[in-house]
Amino acid sequence: MDFNELAELIFPNAKDISYYEEKYPNRNLPEGAAVTRFAPSPTGFIHIGGLFGSIIDRKIAGQTDGVFILRIEDTDQKREIENGVLQIVEGLKAFDIIPNEGVTSETEETGNYGPYKQSERKDIYQAYAKSLIKQGLAYPCFCTQQELEEIRAKQEAAKIRPGYYGIWAKYRTLPIDEAVEKIKNGEHYIIRFKSQGREDRRIKHKDCIKGNIEFPENDQDIVIIKADGLPTYHFAHAVDDHLMRVTHVIRGDEWVSSLPLHLELFRALGFKPPKYAHTATIMKDENGSKRKISKRKDPEAAVSYYHEQGIPADAVVEYLLNIANSSFEPWRRSNPDKDISEFELQLNKMSVSGAVFDMVKLLDVSKNVISKYTAEKIYEETLKWAIKYDLELEKLLSENKEYSIKVLNIERGKAKPRKDIAKWSDVKEIIKYMYQEEYNKINEYEFQKVNDKEEIKDILNSYIEKYFDISDDKDTWFNKMKDLSEEKGYAREVKAYKQEPEKYKGHVGDISSVIRVALTTKCNTPDLYEIMQVLGEENVINRLKDYINKN
Ligand code: GLU
């Protein structure tokens, strides 16, 4: 008996690997084009780290005219959930991440390098495992759970490095005839890699993000094919990324310690290894110390959080690019209107230590992103959000479409647009006073400087009688505000007031505040002139009179 016969006995139907090498030829892409892949397990909603990774994958492929693949790593069938694939596909789509190749739904896929679900690639892995067995680079291992535990206990007692390697690898040197006999007797086994590495030798590697790194060689005879016939992550990674002709493996840095093993697997399989980029984990600052962002503790770790809050997907993507490359922020400042596809992401400029997720900053980015939207778009997006999360708002918006767009258009579409909306869940609070029904429900007025009820009423009465005219242009309107100020003993200009504060009761800003608060209940609003234009003559007069009568 020789290795060939052993291989035939174990995988009688597996094809020769030359079949797959021809079936999945090198890609015909321009020089420098990167082939990347996002390779999640279908175990639930996408995590912020997964979204981060897929944005980088897409960007690196996109900016080099390469290919971005979505591959599903479903070899651990115990961890799978129903509709897991769909959740990933839809989850990415919500952020406008549409891979060029790979799975597109629970049952469909696109591209010539599939199947893109690992559970459908069993034959392929077995062909490569067979080829390793033939070369004496993999072998069947018959260890029972109990035997493995015994090995571990001995290693522990002797304070030796744990694992299945060297002299501890019990079946590594089992004569072929004995292995054949055991298989024929129906004994259970798995396939292990026969490592040629040595722990006392070191390998050097250049990671695209981490730079030069060095490790001891791998010497573990890891499992490559499990008892269910499916591969382990390590083996599938090597076979898939080779056959899908992936050039850049961009993945979380929890995998960096497996690199010596992966490089050895690639060598044993006769594959050219891809470039690796290990991205630092997204961190969270907790009372001054950094920790990994956690699915359990941090609601913002699940991407569903952003949908629930109504933070637009492009704001989240833009924020993640911010933490991906520190050069993004200055680029954005110099190119406020460019599409993010024009920004060139550089792997070697990515953080090595773990970027900290900052909600305040994200909301700030979001305010900027939203400030560039048209009122129509804000209306549509807010409505879409409200249909799911706020039916009151949905009613308000859909019953007053045109009016709402006018409201949202206040101080928009200008060089310095308003930046008060960070998320769709903010919108109701920000605009509700513009709707009579909602305005009527608010009983508190935020007067500040001018607080005396009689004084307020006097100002409002004079304004209605002598100064208010809806057809005034903005300058005339403002001059009248100044006239009113003067009449009531307030300075026409803030500057004049500041020079001689004892001469005045206040200034024109205080007077316009009185009118602002009476009309909107709030001290801080967008441009008052525009607000009055949108409310219209009748509403303005009614609101001011209402205030006078009520108080
Ligand atoms: N399925 C692995 C994970 O979700 C993929 C890691 C990789 O990108 O290679 O962590």
Side-chain angles (χ1 to χ4, degrees):
M1 274 281 182
D2 62 13
F3 288 137
N4 269 321
E5 286 161 288
L6 178 64
E8 286 305 333
L9 178 66
I10 296 177
F11 296 120
N13 302 318
K15 291 193 168 68
D16 190 81
I17 58 168
S18 58
Y19 169 80
Y20 298 107
E21 295 297 328
E22 273 165 41
K23 183 167 177 197
Y24 306 109
N26 279 325
R27 291 170 185 267
N28 198 0
L29 292 171
E31 176 83 23
V35 181
T36 63
R37 85 296 190 277
F38 177 46
S41 298
T43 51
F45 280 110
I46 297 184
H47 180 259
I48 187 81
L51 179 64
F52 183 61
S54 60
I55 288 171
I56 296 168
D57 285 318
R58 180 186 60 167
K59 193 97 195 68
I60 295 295
Q63 71 194 21
T64 55
D65 293 325
V67 181
F68 166 43
I69 303 170
L70 174 59
R71 178 170 79 220
I72 299 296
E73 306 219 323
D74 56 349
T75 56
D76 188 355
Q77 300 192 322
K78 288 192 291 289
R79 290 172 58 221
E80 259 180 68
I81 59 154
E82 212 180 319
N83 280 332
V85 177
L86 205 63
Q87 280 191 27
I88 291 167
V89 173
E90 293 296 322
L92 292 177
K93 206 186 274 170
F95 290 87
D96 205 24
I97 299 175
I98 316 236
N100 310 106
E101 222 175 75
V103 299
T104 53
S105 77
E106 211 64 53
T107 51
E108 290 155 313
E109 55 178 44
T110 171
N112 296 328
Y113 288 79
Y116 296 93
K117 258 191 199 170
Q118 289 183 331
S119 58
E120 290 166 14
R121 300 172 61 80
K122 211 168 174 173
D123 296 350
I124 306 179
Y125 305 119
Q126 295 190 350
Y128 283 87
K130 183 176 182 178
S131 137
L132 288 181
I133 297 171
K134 279 188 185 170
Q135 299 167 72
L137 292 172
Y139 61 92
C141 168
F142 302 88
C143 257
T144 59
Q145 199 51 38
Q146 197 191 341
E147 278 176 297
L148 287 173
E149 275 159 25
E150 279 165 18
I151 294 173
R152 190 171 325 127
K154 278 188 197 156
Q155 289 170 331
E156 255 169 42
K159 296 200 166 48
I160 296 176
R161 195 160 50 91
Y164 198 91
Y165 61 94
I167 54 160
W168 301 99
K170 193 166 169 188
Y171 291 92
R172 185 181 161 99
T173 48
L174 185 74
I176 296 177
D177 293 341
E178 283 178 46
V180 169
E181 203 182 305
K182 280 177 178 291
I183 292 171
K184 287 191 172 154
N185 285 341
E187 281 192 38
H188 289 291
Y189 64 93
I190 49 161
I191 307 296
R192 283 185 186 270
F193 177 53
K194 195 186 251 180
S195 172
Q196 308 298 307
R198 272 179 34 190
E199 219 255 340
D200 60 351
R201 282 196 307 232
R202 297 183 74 78
I203 54 157
K204 290 189 171 135
H205 180 78
K206 186 163 184 202
D207 185 87
C208 299
I209 295 174
K210 294 183 173 305
N212 290 324
I213 38 182
E214 217 187 295
F215 298 94
E217 282 182 6
N218 170 66
D219 65 351
Q220 302 278 339
D221 284 2
I222 59 120
V223 178
I224 56 173
I225 302 285
K226 301 179 291 181
D228 59 6
L230 284 167
T232 52
Y233 164 73
H234 307 292
F235 193 56
H237 152 52
V239 172
D240 292 347
D241 285 323
H242 166 68
L243 289 180
M244 293 181 188
R245 310 293 169 181
V246 168
T247 61
H248 291 69
V249 168
I250 301 167
R251 61 184 180 185
D253 67 3
E254 66 271 23
W255 295 110
V256 77
S257 58
S258 307
L259 202 51
L261 164 64
H262 295 165
L263 292 171
E264 196 194 356
L265 278 172
F266 272 83
R267 188 161 6 94
L269 287 159
F271 304 157
K272 177 174 180 253
K275 290 198 166 101
Y276 286 94
H278 288 94
T279 56
T281 315
I282 298 182
M283 309 295 278
K284 171 122 187 183
D285 186 272
E286 198 172 54
N287 309 322
S289 61
K290 285 210 270 180
R291 62 163 172 81
K292 282 187 185 174
I293 201 160
S294 134
K295 256 190 201 174
R296 244 177 340 102
K297 291 193 216 158
D298 308 312
E300 69 271 35
V303 297
S304 50
Y305 173 83
Y306 304 92
H307 304 314
E308 284 156 21
Q309 291 288 312
I311 302 176
D314 41 354
V316 178
V317 171
E318 176 127 357
Y319 173 66
L320 289 177
L321 282 175
N322 248 287
I323 55 178
N325 263 192
S326 56
S327 52
F328 182 80
E329 210 172 335
W331 175 85
R332 177 49 91 209
R333 234 178 285 126
S334 343
N335 303 284
D337 298 317
K338 281 201 176 152
D339 190 84
I340 48 171
S341 60
E342 292 185 48
F343 170 71
E344 189 159 340
L345 185 80
Q346 281 171 296
L347 289 175
N348 61 4
K349 296 238 171 88
M350 289 194 55
S351 155
V352 179
S353 59
V356 178
F357 189 91
D358 178 352
M359 200 49 157
V360 176
K361 174 88 188 161
L362 165 60
L363 293 179
D364 209 47
V365 168
S366 187
K367 280 182 184 169
N368 270 309
V369 167
I370 294 177
S371 75
K372 291 178 201 149
Y373 286 1
T374 60
E376 285 80 4
K377 176 154 174 157
I378 296 179
Y379 175 83
E380 293 303 338
E381 294 295 321
T382 308
L383 182 61
K384 248 193 263 164
W385 176 84
I387 288 170
K388 261 182 130 169
Y389 300 105
D390 187 343
L391 291 178
E392 233 179 74
L393 178 63
E394 188 252 340
K395 191 162 172 274
L396 201 63
L397 292 175
S398 51
E399 285 177 2
N400 303 283
K401 179 169 177 180
E402 262 173 58
Y403 180 72
S404 300
I405 294 175
K406 276 193 202 149
V407 169
L408 292 166
N409 202 37
I410 293 173
E411 265 191 60
R412 200 169 297 286
K414 320 203 140 134
K416 280 209 167 145
R418 62 194 278 193
K419 290 192 179 167
D420 51 350
I421 304 174
K423 45 191 182 343
W424 310 133
S425 51
D426 292 344
V427 171
K428 184 155 90 188
E429 250 337 279
I430 292 176
I431 64 169
K432 70 178 186 191
Y433 60 76
M434 291 301 286
Y435 301 81
Q436 199 55 39
E437 223 182 287
E438 295 299 312
Y439 171 85
N440 290 342
K441 288 187 207 155
I442 313 175
N443 294 316
E444 267 180 51
Y445 290 79
E446 300 176 352
F447 288 104
Q448 279 179 332
K449 181 94 182 257
V450 183
N451 235 327
D452 181 77
K453 281 207 170 130
E454 292 313 312
E455 171 100 356
I456 293 171
K457 285 200 253 179
D458 177 51
I459 294 170
L460 296 178
N461 268 320
S462 300
Y463 187 64
I464 301 172
E465 279 161 29
K466 296 189 231 163
Y467 301 99
F468 173 59
D469 182 348
I470 195 76
S471 58
D472 283 342
D473 63 22
K474 193 160 181 188
D475 285 343
T476 314
W477 172 86
F478 195 46
N479 277 327
K480 287 188 177 172
M481 205 60 89
K482 290 179 180 175
D483 295 344
L484 171 64
S485 305
E486 197 171 330
E487 181 194 319
K488 300 295 172 195
Y490 291 73
R492 294 181 70 90
E493 315 278 344
V494 180
K495 216 163 95 198
Y497 172 74
K498 282 198 174 144
Q499 279 163 359
E500 294 172 286
E502 63 294 340
K503 249 179 91 178
Y504 305 101
K505 288 201 246 168
H507 56 72
V508 59
D510 303 323
I511 288 290
S512 53
S513 258
V514 169
I515 295 169
R516 180 189 309 273
V517 177
L519 284 178
T520 67
T521 74
K522 292 187 180 296
C523 296
N524 283 316
T525 71
D527 188 81
L528 183 57
Y529 174 76
E530 285 192 54
I531 287 181
M532 288 165 84
Q533 291 296 316
V534 172
L535 282 173
E537 180 170 23
E538 210 183 306
N539 275 329
V540 170
I541 293 182
N542 285 344
R543 284 186 181 198
L544 298 180
K545 283 194 175 155
D546 260 10
Y547 179 83
I548 296 167
N549 295 336
K550 271 197 283 186
N551 289 280

